[in-house]
Amino acid sequence: MDASPLFTDLYQLTMLGGYWQRGLHTQEAVFDLYFRRNPFGGGYAVWAGLEVALDHLLSLRFDDAALAYLKGLQLFPADFLEALAGWRFSGTIEAFPEGSVVFAHEPLLTVTAPLWEAQLIETALLNIVNFQTLIASKAARCVWAAQQSPHGGQVIEFGTRRAQGPNGALSAARAAFVGGAVGTSNVEAGQRYGLPVVGTHAHAWVESFGSELEAFRAYAELYPDQTTLLLDTVDTLKSGLPNAITVAGELRARGHELRGVRLDSGDLAWLSAQVRAELDRAGFPDVKITASNDLSEEVIESIIREGGRIDTYGVGTQLATGGGAGGGALGGVYKLVELNGIGRIKLTGDPTKTSLPGTKRVWRATDAQGHAVLDVLTAQDEVPSSGLRVSDPSNPLRSSRLPGGLDWHDPRQRVVERGERSTPAASLPSLQERAQAELARLPAGTRRLLNPHLYRVGVSDTLQGRRETLTEQLRASLPVR
Ligand SMILES: Nc1ncnc2c1ncn2[C@@H]1O[C@H](COP(=O)(O)OP(=O)(O)OP(=O)(O)O)[C@@H](O)[C@H]1O
Ligand SMILES: O=P(O)(O)OC[C@H]1O[C@H](OP(=O)(O)OP(=O)(O)O)[C@H](O)[C@@H]1O
Ligand SMILES: O=C(O)c1cccnc1
């Protein structure tokens, strides 16, 4: 996607115009980006899209066509449009590196920049990271479910045909890979992002031949080392499987091995166990079984619980759209928390929605085994230590004191400094590796699909106190009614 500064909500530009005309645009602003609820009712999220978002915002420029379009809206004075011609992002960004495991209420990314720079980028930033974090988290859930099989299992992304438009499909393929999918069927995503591209064949291939056996033979002849045969066009057990075994034998006689078969209907647990047994009996224990058909993490879990023998799960709609309960969209927000060094707050009747003012740091505690134990948000100059009181970000009445014996580190990095990348752009495989390593270090039960263990995130008393002071000040300024 070409980066356009017009990929934003109109109100960002009307505010920019206002800040500029009032001479407020260069004030130093700090915005935090965070979400308030983990997706899918889960215990965590996989932070994704950061690298794409940084590429986007660092390349934003108002070219002649963009300025002419804005002029045509007849909303903006000519001198403001002239100033926009020189707009560049010159600020600083601290963020969790992409692929990190993150939790509700944590500032995933903090922008410090002149107000009109930090404001304009809100929409695109949220658009990119909300979607990709949703999809990477969905992928991680599917991969976790697949890994519960004693025989192992992997996930591939098959969702382009039902994704939310072309950009949605490409972003989903990328994010699914960050979350642990091993490949995608989308060839452009392969080219664009260097992702492994994978696939089988469709029912149309079989339908277009005189018989299923003829179709299987033709495919195996064309791709002797890459053939996965779809078994259910006629009847999985009575036709597809015996024909696949015939073709596997013919391939072997020519010095090749059938790679796999695909199941696409019926009870995938029962069918895959039958197919595995038949293939093994026929002397093909290495032929892999792929399954597809409206899969989700819950269906994968059920298939495994019932003794299914699937090696690869091709997940389409649910993965590429982030569907399912608690999915659909991630509600990440971007809030002004400080202006010219003074904390700012957005009040709401719902305490979980009141922002945490001021600059802050995120800390992650690990135990002697390297397992993540809890995260803490502190003021910029605070360091967590044994005995420090922290409270639940969504219920300040629930508080506790930090235990001793933990190692604390700040997982965020300064990824942009004065408008330039200050960490090297990371490769996608390295992002996937980071996600897998961090997921493996979570406390037991955090990855469970149903009622997961809730990883603790605490807010230091200093930060909480700032929120209360600002809240009281604002409330005191309201008329008494
Ligand atoms: N063992 C299982 N446990 C739980 N869900 C399963 C299991 N096997 C299959 N499913 C799911 O059940 C649903 C079956 O849907 P449906 O009845 O529409 O498919 P089908 O009739 O077998 O196939 P199609 O209509 O595509 O030919 C799919 O979402 C599938 O993923
Ligand atoms: O996870 P999903 O959204 O099911 O995506 C994958 C599905 O896409 C293809 O079929 P398609 O759904 O186009 O047709 P079919 O259901 O008739 O096989 C494929 O055969 C899978 O079943
Ligand atoms: O290659 C496949 O088997 C495939 C690709 C997209 C959607 N469903 C299946």
Side-chain angles (χ1 to χ4, degrees):
M1 185 172 66
D2 286 339
S4 165
L6 304 190
F7 187 80
T8 191
D9 295 302
L10 178 63
Y11 77 170
Q12 313 286 13
L13 287 162
T14 52
M15 285 189 283
L16 249 62
Y19 295 145
W20 190 84
Q21 288 175 79
R22 296 284 162 93
L24 304 172
H25 60 298
T26 56
Q27 299 177 93
E28 187 176 84
V30 181
F31 281 80
D32 278 342
L33 187 154
Y34 57 97
F35 58 83
R36 300 180 178 114
R37 250 201 312 260
N38 296 330
F40 310 108
Y44 65 93
V46 175
W47 168 236
L50 174 69
E51 297 285 332
V52 177
L54 295 182
D55 283 350
H56 177 93
L57 71 93
L58 293 179
S59 64
L60 289 179
R61 302 285 182 271
F62 287 85
D63 63 13
D64 290 346
L67 293 169
Y69 175 77
L70 290 179
K71 185 174 175 207
L73 293 181
Q74 300 190 340
L75 272 171
F76 305 108
D79 48 0
F80 169 61
L81 294 178
E82 269 164 41
L84 279 184
W87 188 102
R88 305 264 184 287
F89 183 79
S90 69
T92 293
I93 298 180
E94 309 260 350
F96 276 89
E98 184 165 354
S100 297
V101 172
V102 295
F103 306 94
H105 302 290
E106 296 182 331
L108 308 176
L109 178 150
T110 298
V111 173
T112 305
L115 181 55
W116 76 328
E117 296 179 21
Q119 183 78 64
L120 178 73
I121 62 178
E122 170 179 11
T123 308
L125 202 50
L126 288 176
N127 171 275
I128 295 167
V129 300
N130 271 330
F131 182 65
Q132 293 213 27
T133 300
L134 181 79
I135 303 304
S137 306
K138 184 75 172 180
R141 291 166 64 80
C142 292
V143 169
W144 179 84
Q147 288 170 345
Q148 300 315 296
S149 164
H151 310 284
Q154 54 185 19
V155 171
I156 52 184
E157 186 275 310
F158 271 178
T160 296
R161 65 195 56 202
R162 306 216 173 74
Q164 269 85 344
N167 287 333
L170 292 168
S171 302
R174 180 188 183 281
F177 184 80
V178 174
V182 297
T184 175
S185 60
N186 187 308
V187 184
E188 187 179 342
Q191 181 197 29
R192 190 181 286 222
Y193 303 121
L195 303 179
V197 287
V198 290
T200 71
H201 68 75
H203 297 109
W205 176 261
V206 175
E207 291 173 52
S208 68
F209 280 78
S211 75
E212 188 181 57
L213 185 57
E214 208 187 315
F216 282 5
R217 277 194 178 122
Y219 204 81
E221 212 167 289
L222 291 162
Y223 308 102
D225 299 310
Q226 316 249 12
T227 290
T228 295
L229 298 169
L230 173 60
L231 301 189
D232 75 334
T233 310
V234 182
D235 184 298
T236 300
L237 293 182
K238 290 189 186 145
S239 173
L241 181 60
N243 283 334
I245 289 174
T246 300
V247 169
E250 292 169 2
L251 266 177
R252 185 171 285 173
R254 290 192 282 123
H256 300 280
E257 290 296 322
L258 179 66
R259 176 174 285 188
V261 294
R262 174 160 72 100
L263 306 176
D264 191 42
S265 54
D267 183 329
L268 297 168
W270 183 78
L271 271 179
S272 62
Q274 301 291 310
V275 168
R276 181 74 276 151
E278 286 287 318
L279 287 169
D280 290 355
R281 231 189 328 270
F284 298 103
D286 295 329
V287 171
K288 301 291 185 206
I289 303 178
T290 294
S292 52
N293 190 19
D294 276 335
L295 297 179
S296 64
E297 62 272 50
E298 288 86 8
V299 171
I300 295 172
E301 194 177 44
S302 163
I303 291 171
I304 290 168
R305 198 170 42 237
E306 297 189 6
R309 293 298 307 275
I310 288 154
D311 301 293
T312 301
Y313 298 86
V315 189
T317 312
Q318 285 266 331
L319 179 50
T321 66
L330 183 71
V333 296
Y334 181 77
K335 295 291 166 200
L336 179 67
V337 293
E338 192 175 284
L339 194 66
N340 294 331
I342 297 171
R344 299 284 164 149
I345 195 168
K346 177 194 175 289
L347 285 189
T348 108
D350 176 352
T352 65
K353 287 194 164 182
T354 300
S355 55
L356 274 171
T359 53
K360 53 191 77 72
R361 290 185 81 174
V362 185
W363 299 89
R364 183 157 292 175
T366 48
D367 63 16
Q369 287 73 44
H371 290 112
V373 179
L374 84 158
D375 287 7
V376 167
L377 315 185
T378 67
Q380 193 68 34
D381 51 2
E382 246 184 319
V383 175
S385 58
S386 161
L388 183 79
R389 208 163 64 136
V390 296
S391 53
D392 182 335
S394 52
N395 180 4
L397 294 178
R398 269 218 319 250
S399 67
S400 60
R401 292 198 181 269
L402 294 180
L406 296 172
D407 279 335
W408 292 94
H409 72 282
D410 177 350
R412 302 200 314 170
Q413 297 175 347
R414 180 160 294 197
V415 290
V416 173
E417 176 115 47
R418 276 180 254 121
E420 306 278 346
R421 283 296 303 251
S422 47
T423 51
S427 74
L428 274 176
S430 75
L431 305 183
Q432 190 187 61
E433 278 163 30
R434 173 179 290 123
Q436 290 307 308
E438 292 204 5
L439 287 165
R441 287 198 290 267
L442 286 178
T446 308
R447 300 184 71 187
R448 190 169 62 217
L449 302 181
L450 189 63
N451 300 326
H453 163 77
L454 287 182
Y455 185 89
R456 227 155 38 103
V457 175
V459 176
S460 78
D461 269 3
T462 311
L463 267 191
Q464 181 56 31
R466 264 195 217 155
R467 171 149 83 177
E468 282 162 14
T469 308
L470 272 182
T471 303
E472 276 159 28
Q473 277 172 9
L474 273 180
R475 291 217 195 286
S477 67
L478 295 175
V480 184
R481 289 231 236 162

